[in-house]
Structures are given as structure tokens and as C-alpha cells.
């Protein structure tokens, strides 16, 4: 097999396309298939930096890990990073190329990107046995079909069979499957091979009559019913659900080694990005992570994290409006731990000069760290390696802000003053030795008898999660039929479901 492919579409956003794509990738690679993930256009504030210095969606980096291949810009050629309700930064082949309104993007720019997107897919297909593509939103967004480069547009151009995933936990999944198919043009319907039910709870035999009726109405089969599984939303594109945090919250967790737990409060700042940074904290036995937006919620926290954000100045104003800025200042004065990451690091500094992101000019920050930040037009995209708290650390950087550190103790690329730490490095807490050393520092400053587990491996936990996704596909999907789709394409003679696209 060489150059096979499949598009995993969804009836809605958050139907489970990302995790199903990852699960299929992990199942295929376990069968000895050389597989790669692909998403032509992704909209997300959670991103990752590849080894060649390209920015792509974290979901595609996670899917690459599921496929056991190195992530590259080919896997996510277009990334849109929202900067507000109506505009996004456009990242093409891993590099930002400007800001654009939704109207401007869908009105013309998107179509100019179709050929580069298709070229990336074809390059992956030429070097892999199979490419598992993820769609975006729903393929039946009839107002956007003309300019589509991620759903049926790419499927039709590359002749990819399409499996539509529906989240039955939300209800209405049969209507979603039927309506999605019936709103597509005949040429698009030819590629809709069938359906995959996701997040089912209960006795599957009770569902089977509905699946039979759906087959009778559409002429298309259902390739599997995946059960609801807790804690599998790894590296979500959006939302506040954190993968391993979900596992900690929803399953039986080992008790803390010491007498105390550690409570971590994450400020849910506007345009929060790469909130997956706290996954590694939540993976530790005895560490409780929650997202907060009120100052009183910081009172019992042993550590407060101010995470990354696509809108540093907006986040700073939000912290002040909510009273969280004063609460952070009180914590710093009392020697209670605060960690700022990327945009969160910037708001903890003294001064911000921003003519790029917000164009607000000179803005006074919270003054908790001796740092002055100037926003550069060129984005820093890097994969730094260094040492922190006596331990080896790996991370990645995605920011326009350039920090001028004028004091404090060195902390990765940033600094520390008392119990306030700041760094631009995302992902540093995934380094197990460093994370344990940091938590020991936090526990000491917070006066907690907390002891980090000596054997928690974040990398191992992530691999276990990906294997669970592969197991879901292997155990609950018709893998023989899926493999035929990948190798041979959509079945011939699939019936048209009226009325079709208007």
C-alpha cells in the first residue's frame, strides 16, 4: 500500500475527529503501516513547534506521536490563531503571514491556499502508506462550501473516502448523520462512505435498530460504535478540558505520597493558548488543577498559573477588571507561588510595548518580575533545551514578545523573584525531573507536606493514552472495512440522499 488515505469528518465541532484520527493512526502503525496525520486548515490557540521551527496545531503534533512519526508543517499547512471574535493570525507552513478577518479569509485568501494545502497532502501520500486526514467543524457548512479547503474540498480533489463521526452523547446523532449527508452535493456524497458513532454509553444492541434504519435511509453503513471513555481528550484544539487533567478528575487516582495535596489554580485568561502546559501538573498524584476566573478562587491555591494567551494586553486588562491582578500582587507579597508562562510571564513583568498584537503601545504590567517586554513583528519559534532547578528541561517557544530580564534569579529563559516564576517556555513541565523539582519548591513555599511521586513519567502516560485510542478503534470499529477504505477509496454506487446542496 502506498498513498492511501481517509478523511475523518464530523457532524459538529468537538464530535471527536481529533481523537478518532489519532486512534486510527495508532491502530495502523501497530499493523506495520507507515502512516501520517493531516489537517489542511486548523483553527486553534493550542499549537506546537516542530523541529524545523514550524508552528502547527497541537492536535496534529499529538496525532503524529500516535503515528510514531516526527511532526512537520506538511501535516498542518494552515493554522488560524484567533485574536478576537472576527480576526485571526494566519500561519502558513509554520510561519505567520498576517492577520485577517473571517470575511477576508473566506472571501478570497482561503482559495489561494488550496493548491499549497493539496500539495502538502500529496507529498505526505507520496512518502507514506496512508494519510489519515482530519476535517474541521462540519462538512455540511453550506455557506462555506465554495471556499472549503479542509473538508469536502480536499476530499474531492484528492479522491479521499470520508467517514463522518458523530457525538451521540449530545443526542440527535441520527439526524446529524442524515442531515450532513443530505446537505452535500452529489459529487461530495459519492465520497461519504459511512459513519462512526462516538461516546456511546450503554447497551449497543439498543442502538442497532437505528443504525439499520440509517443504512436504509442513506445506503451507508456505520463502521463502529466507540464507547464513552473518560480522559481521552488529549491536546484538545479548544475548550478548557485538559487531557490528563481529565484523567485525574474522572478516574481513580493514586493518593499523594506526602500528607498534603497541592492545589493549582489556572487563571482562565481571554484567548488562552497552550493551556495543555498544566497537563503534566495534573498527571502528578496529589496535584489538583482547576481553572478560575475570580480572585476568591485563588485563596486556597498553593500555586497560581497565569498561562499563555494570544492577547497579552487583553489578558492584563481582564486580570485587573476581575480583581485577579490585586490577588496576584498579594500572593507575591506574601511569598505564595505564582508561575507565568509565555503571555502569563509577560503580564507579570513591569512594562509591555506592543505595536504588533494589540497595537496598544506602552502598557504597564503587574510589576511582579523585573522584566520589560517589547513585541517584535517576527515571531519566535524555537525548541529550547536547557537546565532548570538542577534538572534537564526541554520546551518550545511561540511568542512575539521579546523579554528584557533586568534582575531576579535565572529561571529557564526568564527569572524568579521569591515565589514568583516566569518563562516563555511551553512544555517545560513535561520534563519529569524538572517538574518534580519545581513542585518541591512550590510545596516548600506553600508550606505543604507534599512529596512528588518519584516515578511519574508524563511521556509514558501520554503513550498509554494514545494506545487507549488505538485500542478503541481496534476493539469497537470494523478495522477491515476501514483498511479497505484507506486502500481502495469510497465504495462505488453509493446512493444520492436528497435534497443535496442548495
Amino acid at each position: 500500500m502506498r498513498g492511501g488515505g481517509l478523511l475523518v469528518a464530523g457532524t459538529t465541532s468537538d464530535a471527536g475527529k481529533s481523537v478518532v484520527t489519532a486512534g486510527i493512526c495508532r491502530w495502523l502503525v501497530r499493523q506495520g503501516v507507515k502512516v501520517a496525520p493531516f489537517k489542511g486548515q486548523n483553527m486553534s490557540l493550542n499549537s506546537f513547534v516542530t523541529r524545523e521551527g514550524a508552528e502547527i496545531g497541537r492536535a496534529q503534533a499529538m496525532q503524529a506521536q500516535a503515528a510514531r512519526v516526527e511532526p512537520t508543517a506538511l501535516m498542518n499547512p494552515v493554522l488560524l490563531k484567533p485574536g478576537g471574535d472576527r480576526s485571526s493570525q494566519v500561519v502558513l507552513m509554520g510561519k505567520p503571514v498576517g492577520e485577517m478577518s473571517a470575511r477576508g479569509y473566506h472571501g478570497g485568501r482561503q482559495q489561494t491556499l488550496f493548491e499549497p494545502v493539496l500539495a502538502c497532502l500529496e507529498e505526505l501520500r507520496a512518502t507514506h502508506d496512508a494519510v489519515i486526514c482530519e476535517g474541521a467543524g462540519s462538512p455540511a457548512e453550506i455557506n462555506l462550501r465554495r471556499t472549503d479547503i479542509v473538508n469536502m474540498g480536499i476530499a474531492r480533489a484528492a479522491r479521499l473516502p470520508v467517514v463522518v463521526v458523530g457525538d451521540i452523547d449530545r443526542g440527535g446523532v441520527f439526524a446529524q448523520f442524515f442531515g450532513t449527508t443530505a446537505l452535500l452535493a452529489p459529487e461530495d456524497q459519492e465520497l461519504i462512505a459511512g459513519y462512526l458513532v462516538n461516546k456511546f454509553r450503554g447497551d449497543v444492541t439498543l442502538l442497532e435498530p437505528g443504525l439499520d434504519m440509517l443504512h436504509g435511509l442513506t445506503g451507508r453503513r456505520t463502521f463502529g460504535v466507540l464507547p464513552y471513555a473518560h480522559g481521552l481528550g488529549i491536546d484538545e484544539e479548544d475548550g478548557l478540558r485538559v487531557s490528563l487533567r481529565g484523567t485525574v478528575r474522572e478516574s481513580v487516582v493514586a493518593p499523594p505520597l506526602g500528607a498534603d495535596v497541592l492545589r493549582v489554580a489556572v487563571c482562565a485568561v481571554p484567548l488562552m493558548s497552550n493551556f495543555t502546559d498544566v497537563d503534566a501538573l495534573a498527571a502528578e498524584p496529589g496535584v489538583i488543577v482547576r481553572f478560575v476566573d475570580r480572585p476568591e478562587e485563588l485563596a486556597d491555591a498553593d500555586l497560581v498559573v497565569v498561562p499563555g494567551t494570544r492577547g497579552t494586553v487583553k489578558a492584563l486588562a481582564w486580570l485587573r477588571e476581575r480583581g485577579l491582578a490585586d490577588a496576584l500582587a498579594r500572593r507575591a507579597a506574601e511569598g505564595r507561588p505564582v508561575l507565568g508562562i509565555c503571555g502569563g510571564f509577560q503580564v507579570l513583568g513591569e512594562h509591555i510595548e506592543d505595536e504588533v498584537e494589540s497595537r496598544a503601545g506602552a502598557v504597564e504590567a503587574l510589576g511582579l518580575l523585573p522584566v520589560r517586554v517589547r513585541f517584535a513583528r517576527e515571531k519566535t519559534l524555537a525548541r529550547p533545551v536547557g537546565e532548570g532547578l538542577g534538572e534537564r528541561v526541554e520546551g518550545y517557544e511561540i511568542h512575539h514578545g521579546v523579554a528584557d530580564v533586568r534582575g531576579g534569579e535565572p529561571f529557564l529563559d526568564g527569572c524568579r523573584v521569591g515565589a514568583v516564576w516566569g518563562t516563555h517556555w511551553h512544555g517545560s513541565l513535561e520534563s519529569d525531573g524538572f517538574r518534580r523539582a519545581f513542585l518541591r519548591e512550590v510545596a516548600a513555599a506553600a508550606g505543604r507536606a507534599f512529596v512528588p511521586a518519584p516515578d511519574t513519567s508524563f511521556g509514558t502516560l501520554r503513550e498509554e493514552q494514545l494506545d487507549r485510542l488505538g485500542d478503541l478503534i481496534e476493539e469497537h470499529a470494523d478495522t477491515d472495512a476501514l483498511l479497505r477504505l484507506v486502500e481502495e477509496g469510497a465504495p462505488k454506487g453509493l446512493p444520492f440522499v436528497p435534497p443535496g446542496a442548495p
Side-chain angles (χ1 to χ4, degrees):
M1 174 171 54
R2 174 64 70 178
L6 175 70
L7 176 70
V8 178
T11 58
T12 62
S13 295
D14 202 31
K17 298 183 294 292
S18 294
V19 294
V20 167
T21 299
I24 294 174
C25 285
R26 177 51 59 102
W27 167 71
L28 282 173
V29 78
R30 294 195 309 209
Q31 311 311 306
V33 176
K34 185 180 180 183
V35 59
F38 176 81
K39 186 165 185 172
Q41 171 196 293
N42 194 351
M43 177 174 281
S44 178
L45 288 170
N46 285 335
S47 58
F48 182 76
V49 179
T50 67
R51 294 206 179 277
E52 73 265 35
E55 185 179 8
I56 66 172
R58 274 198 69 94
Q60 280 61 67
M62 174 270 292
Q63 291 160 357
Q65 185 175 351
R68 296 181 180 144
V69 294
E70 189 67 32
T72 74
L74 292 173
M75 298 172 184
N76 180 205
V78 179
L79 174 63
L80 305 178
K81 303 193 72 174
D85 292 336
R86 297 188 178 184
S87 68
S88 294
Q89 183 181 66
V90 181
V91 179
L92 176 61
M93 292 304 295
K95 305 296 181 183
V97 294
E99 296 278 337
M100 187 162 291
S101 68
R103 180 176 293 276
Y105 183 71
H106 290 288
R109 180 60 187 271
Q110 187 177 34
Q111 290 174 292
T112 68
L113 298 175
F114 184 75
E115 289 303 322
V117 166
L118 186 59
C120 288
L121 173 58
E122 292 308 318
E123 186 171 342
L124 287 174
R125 294 180 79 177
T127 54
H128 292 79
D129 299 331
V131 179
I132 307 302
C133 307
E134 179 187 346
S138 162
E141 306 288 358
I142 55 179
N143 56 315
L144 303 177
R145 177 60 185 90
R146 182 179 59 84
T147 58
D148 171 47
I149 65 172
V150 66
N151 290 307
M152 300 314 299
I154 198 76
R156 197 194 294 188
R159 303 307 299 170
L160 293 172
V162 180
V163 172
V164 182
V165 178
D167 179 358
I168 197 170
D169 197 49
R170 295 182 174 187
V173 76
F174 293 116
Q176 293 171 22
F177 285 145
F178 182 86
T180 296
T181 308
L183 277 178
L184 297 177
E187 296 83 358
D188 289 342
Q189 287 195 26
E190 289 176 2
L191 299 171
I192 301 294
Y195 314 109
L196 194 63
V197 176
N198 194 27
K199 302 180 186 177
F200 179 71
R201 308 174 192 247
D203 184 351
V204 72
T205 61
L206 299 177
L207 191 66
E208 287 171 354
L211 300 179
D212 291 341
M213 286 186 275
L214 181 67
H215 183 270
L217 288 166
T218 67
R220 290 159 175 84
R221 58 166 301 183
T222 298
F223 290 95
V225 178
L226 307 183
Y228 192 101
H230 293 292
L232 286 182
I234 53 181
D235 288 349
E236 297 281 354
E237 292 180 354
D238 295 294
L240 284 183
R241 286 173 306 172
V242 179
S243 61
L244 297 173
R245 169 178 174 263
T247 303
V248 169
R249 185 182 64 248
E250 297 171 347
S251 60
V252 177
V253 183
L257 269 66
D260 290 340
V261 298
L262 277 186
R263 294 171 175 82
V264 179
V266 184
C267 296
V269 296
L271 300 175
M272 182 166 49
S273 61
N274 289 69
F275 53 80
T276 46
D277 281 329
V278 299
D279 273 8
L281 293 177
E284 287 283 350
V287 176
I288 301 167
V289 177
R290 65 182 188 271
F291 288 85
V292 305
D293 59 5
R294 297 179 301 192
E296 55 268 27
E297 294 178 292
L298 305 189
D300 67 342
D302 301 304
L303 169 67
V304 174
V305 177
V306 187
T309 172
R310 172 80 166 84
T312 299
V313 171
K314 182 180 290 187
L316 181 59
W318 181 87
L319 290 168
R320 286 179 168 137
E321 290 165 2
R322 295 276 178 144
L324 288 161
D326 290 338
L328 290 169
R330 287 194 297 272
R331 288 187 67 90
E334 295 165 1
R336 303 178 64 200
V338 176
L339 170 65
I341 303 174
C342 199
F345 168 41
Q346 295 166 7
V347 304
L348 296 181
E350 298 172 343
H351 183 83
I352 296 171
E353 192 73 34
D354 181 12
E355 299 292 351
V356 176
E357 190 176 77
S358 68
R359 297 181 177 86
V363 178
E364 293 306 307
L366 299 186
L368 305 185
L369 290 174
V371 177
R372 298 178 71 85
V373 175
R374 176 185 56 82
F375 275 66
R377 296 204 174 275
E378 184 173 347
K379 182 184 285 190
T380 296
L381 297 169
R383 290 275 294 269
V385 177
E387 184 176 296
L389 304 178
E391 300 284 347
R392 186 177 186 275
V393 189
E394 295 184 30
Y396 58 99
E397 295 183 67
I398 306 170
H399 54 92
H400 284 279
V402 178
D404 177 13
V405 179
R406 300 186 172 192
E409 301 175 41
F411 179 71
L412 304 181
D413 70 326
C415 66
R416 169 188 182 177
V417 174
V420 180
W421 294 267
T423 176
H424 273 132
W425 290 19
H426 294 289
S428 62
L429 295 168
E430 296 180 20
S431 297
D432 297 327
F434 172 74
R435 182 180 64 255
R436 294 184 194 114
F438 178 72
L439 289 175
R440 284 193 289 269
E441 293 264 353
V442 168
R448 296 288 187 187
F450 171 85
V451 179
D455 56 354
T456 301
S457 167
F458 185 78
T460 298
L461 289 171
R462 183 177 288 270
E463 277 295 305
E464 289 174 356
Q465 294 285 73
L466 294 171
D467 276 332
R468 288 180 66 198
L469 293 180
D471 292 344
L472 279 178
I473 298 299
E474 185 170 349
E475 296 168 10
H476 300 282
D478 186 338
T479 52
D480 290 341
L482 288 176
L483 190 57
R484 282 196 298 273
L485 286 181
V486 171
E487 293 177 334
E488 302 171 10
K492 304 299 182 186
L494 290 169
F496 172 70
V497 180

